[in-house]
Amino acid sequence: EVQLVESGGELVKPGGSLRLSCAASRFTVSNAWMSWVRQAPGKGLEWVGRIKSEVDGGTAEYAAPVRGRFTISRDNSKNTLYLQMNSLITEDTAVYYCATGVSAPECYWGQGTLVTVSS
Amino acid sequence: DIQMTQSPSAMSASVGDRVTITCRASQGISNNLAWFQQKPGKVPKRLIYAASSLQSGVPSRFIGSGSGTEFTLTISSLQPEDFATYYCLQHDLYRWTFGQGTKVDIK
């Protein structure tokens, strides 16, 4: 079965940077549209951004609150998706999920990784 | 960016009730809409994709409908395991958006 495993979440100070990883198994990240979704404590789901498959151009789009600060990329050799987060603010505190297949018959989510931005 | 207005934000219902949740898009999104269910502390689970296609393994009491700007998730007969929060997600064009969520709890 397809598995997505996020890692990299930790406590970071405001203004700091962090890179989250989403390692895929039984699935090729370069062939899929991949998304990052976050959920602040006690709040709803928020779409962060997504990257198209390489065959569809591989471009990324971002939600307004993170545009210019966050970057989605992937390493095909490691079959891993990344979320580089810079200039972090307290409002970025959330569980971050990677997901794929939103518009396809099969949809997969990772278990999430917690990012806490606090001084 | 496309805005999704989901209603109601919360509701109380009884087992066996018919429940309807609505999402309205600020502009047409064809059928590029999915519905998710999330229980506390759990990963969201997709119920419906392409507005009306039932995810494999999801009970048939979950029904998605709509196209364009108006979408509905109906639970035809609420079961105890259905008490959860539900979200719509539009994935049209470039930037995607979740609805604000609907918490369904026990009356």
Side-chain angles (χ1 to χ4, degrees), chain B residues 40-63:
Chain B
K42 300 296 186 182
V43 177
K45 171 187 174 182
R46 192 180 64 176
L47 304 173
I48 301 288
Y49 66 100
S52 59
S53 295
L54 188 67
Q55 175 71 42
S56 174
V58 172
S60 59
R61 62 180 179 273
F62 291 96
I63 303 163

Side-chain angles (χ1 to χ4, degrees), chain B residues 46-107:
Chain B
R46 192 180 64 176
L47 304 173
I48 301 288
Y49 66 100
S52 59
S53 295
L54 188 67
Q55 175 71 42
S56 174
V58 172
S60 59
R61 62 180 179 273
F62 291 96
I63 303 163
S65 63
S67 182
T69 60
E70 294 278 340
F71 301 86
T72 299
L73 174 68
T74 300
I75 309 172
S76 59
S77 178
L78 198 67
Q79 298 302 300
E81 61 269 29
D82 300 338
F83 292 98
T85 301
Y86 294 84
Y87 297 91
C88 63
L89 169 67
Q90 72 80 16
H91 51 86
D92 192 52
L93 296 179
Y94 305 110
R95 301 183 189 113
W96 302 355
T97 326
F98 281 96
Q100 300 92 330
T102 296
K103 184 176 181 180
V104 178
D105 62 18
I106 302 172
K107 183 183 288 183

Side-chain angles (χ1 to χ4, degrees), chain A residues 33 35 37 39 43-47 50 61-62 64 67 97 101-107 109-111, chain B residues 1 32 34 36 38 42-44 46 48-50 55-56 87 89 91 93-100:
Chain A
W33 290 42
S35 293
V37 174
Q39 187 167 37
K43 302 297 185 182
L45 299 173
E46 181 182 20
W47 178 76
R50 65 105 180 97
E61 292 287 342
Y62 304 91
R67 205 171 299 150
Y97 299 98
V102 165
S103 59
E106 293 302 320
C107 180
W109 288 59
Q111 84 290 347
Chain B
D1 293 357
N32 294 311
F36 291 84
Q38 188 182 32
K42 300 296 186 182
V43 177
R46 192 180 64 176
I48 301 288
Y49 66 100
Q55 175 71 42
S56 174
Y87 297 91
L89 169 67
H91 51 86
L93 296 179
Y94 305 110
R95 301 183 189 113
W96 302 355
T97 326
F98 281 96
Q100 300 92 330

Side-chain angles (χ1 to χ4, degrees), chain A residues 17-63:
Chain A
S17 296
L18 203 59
R19 189 178 77 162
L20 305 183
S21 300
C22 171
S25 56
R26 301 180 194 82
F27 175 79
T28 303
V29 296
S30 62
N31 293 344
W33 290 42
M34 304 286 298
S35 293
W36 286 97
V37 174
R38 69 184 181 182
Q39 187 167 37
K43 302 297 185 182
L45 299 173
E46 181 182 20
W47 178 76
V48 172
R50 65 105 180 97
I51 187 167
K52 291 183 177 180
S53 63
E54 291 204 345
V55 70
D56 287 331
T59 55
E61 292 287 342
Y62 304 91

Side-chain angles (χ1 to χ4, degrees), chain A residues 45-85:
Chain A
L45 299 173
E46 181 182 20
W47 178 76
V48 172
R50 65 105 180 97
I51 187 167
K52 291 183 177 180
S53 63
E54 291 204 345
V55 70
D56 287 331
T59 55
E61 292 287 342
Y62 304 91
V66 308
R67 205 171 299 150
R69 300 188 298 122
F70 289 13
T71 302
I72 298 174
S73 63
R74 57 182 159 227
D75 184 332
N76 296 340
S77 67
K78 296 181 178 178
N79 205 30
T80 298
L81 179 76
Y82 298 103
L83 180 65
Q84 176 67 43
M85 304 186 294

